[in-house]
Amino acid sequence: MMRAMRNSDTAACSPIVVCHAGSASNPSHVDGPKDACSTGLTALAAEGSALNAVVAATQALEDDERFNAGTGSNLRLDGVTIQMDASCMTSAGEFAAVAAIERVKNPVAVARRLLGTPHVLLAAAGANEFARRNGFADHDPTTPGAQERLRQVSATKDRVGDWSRVELEQAWNFATPLRESLGSDTVGSVAWDGTTFACALSSGGTTTALLGRVGDVPMPGCGLFAGEHGAIATTGDGEFIARSVLAYRAYSELERGKSPTQVVDWALGQLADSVDIGIIVVCRTGFAGGARHGMAWHGQQAEARS
């Protein structure tokens, strides 16, 4: 099991932002999470909010075509459809998410906007219309990279992710013929501003999915969780993460006194070895991250003020 970890333990931490580019993302692409952390810290310094920091950082990852979120999201099996999920949460009890949203550049910004309403989740056409009504322009996230990923795996035989070819053909509900392809994973950010913890996730979803599939990202306690002791953001095989309510359970371990590094170790041992998983954790005294199959991630602490 490969674990790329780093931990920072101090008696009292200045503000922190930690970002990941998705489980099984190329660790050599760490410049993406580094830039996202810098973007988040800049937003935090300007506005003093962990929530604004994680949204800004996650938007930076959405705009990086190398990662499966926003621009760069995975095409579905029909070779045309892209449906995205995003969410944000704070230790003050705020949560909002969008699911199966289409044709927006930054789904996490739409989720952030939803915090200003009585709702916690909007899906599909409702999420799309909410985005338009709130000034989010129409945007096609399809990239040559997404098209090439689909092409490269078009000859997959027998099994496609968790489906057998026969099962998938029987359940297929797209208008166009079946194509086999592979999926990828969620990007995310966690932050501490000295008072509040926050986390955010965004995902382009899994290529091997039916129309309307929703993963762990927009489910509080599954893909992410923030409370008074810290914040968690996971990535990997969404169905397994959702079924295990992994983020909340990882947060509970933090609440019991485990360090961020210990929480990462604990989380990576909770699911079967065949399950792809990664996680980042932040608390008042430090941060850590790790993944089973490598992951581009980075944590950055704000410079202490004199």
Side-chain angles (χ1 to χ4, degrees):
M1 180 185 296
M2 180 183 293
R3 299 182 184 181
M5 290 191 180
R6 177 182 169 195
N7 188 46
S8 173
D9 291 312
T10 60
C13 270
S14 54
I16 300 170
V17 176
V18 189
C19 300
H20 71 69
S23 180
S25 57
N26 190 335
S28 70
H29 293 162
V30 69
D31 61 294
K34 282 184 177 179
D35 289 345
C37 283
S38 295
T39 298
L41 285 171
T42 297
L44 198 157
E47 303 178 50
S49 163
L51 176 61
N52 289 334
V54 295
V55 171
T58 303
Q59 283 186 237
L61 293 167
E62 288 176 331
D63 291 342
D64 192 322
E65 294 185 12
R66 296 173 295 180
F67 309 133
N68 177 27
T71 301
S73 292
N74 284 331
L75 281 161
R76 294 302 183 273
L77 295 162
D78 64 345
V80 176
T81 303
I82 292 177
Q83 294 186 316
M84 301 167 285
D85 301 335
S87 60
C88 54
M89 186 174 188
T90 75
S91 55
E94 300 169 296
F95 175 84
V98 291
I101 193 169
E102 298 183 41
R103 299 189 68 88
V104 294
K105 184 178 181 182
N106 295 114
V108 73
V110 183
R112 172 70 176 85
R113 186 67 59 85
L114 189 63
L115 280 176
T117 78
H119 296 329
V120 298
L121 174 65
L122 288 180
N128 299 341
E129 183 61 22
F130 175 81
R132 299 291 174 264
R133 296 269 180 160
N134 281 271
F136 293 92
D138 181 74
H139 174 76
D140 182 0
T142 306
T143 63
Q147 293 169 329
E148 176 63 13
R149 287 196 299 273
L150 186 63
R151 187 198 66 77
Q152 286 178 346
V153 297
S154 63
T156 300
K157 306 296 182 184
D158 298 324
R159 296 204 66 82
V160 184
D162 292 333
W163 301 81
S164 72
R165 173 135 188 171
V166 171
E167 291 168 341
L168 191 56
E169 286 177 337
Q170 290 175 342
W172 186 247
N173 66 349
F174 288 98
T176 54
L178 172 65
R179 302 177 186 180
E180 294 119 344
S181 55
L182 298 176
S184 187
D185 299 315
T186 301
V187 305
S189 308
V190 296
W192 159 246
D193 62 19
T195 302
T196 303
F197 292 100
C199 46
L201 292 175
S202 184
S203 177
T206 303
T207 301
T208 53
L210 296 177
L211 186 65
R213 176 263 186 186
V214 174
D216 60 297
V217 167
M219 303 179 191
C222 295
L224 82 177
F225 193 82
E228 63 177 312
H229 296 278
I232 308 286
T234 70
T235 176
D237 291 339
E239 275 70 17
F240 290 92
I241 291 171
R243 291 183 192 118
S244 67
V245 196
L246 186 62
Y248 178 73
R249 291 171 58 226
Y251 172 80
S252 295
E253 295 301 309
L254 196 64
E255 193 174 33
R256 292 185 181 101
K258 280 187 170 66
S259 71
T261 297
Q262 289 171 326
V263 171
V264 170
D265 278 334
W266 176 89
L268 296 182
Q270 292 306 298
L271 299 173
D273 290 345
S274 60
V275 176
D276 193 18
I277 181 175
I279 184 172
I280 52 175
V281 181
V282 67
C283 69
R284 287 178 176 82
T285 59
F287 63 89
R292 284 181 164 175
H293 304 111
M295 179 172 71
W297 76 279
H298 182 73
Q300 191 170 331
Q301 191 171 332
E303 293 183 6
R305 297 178 180 175
S306 58

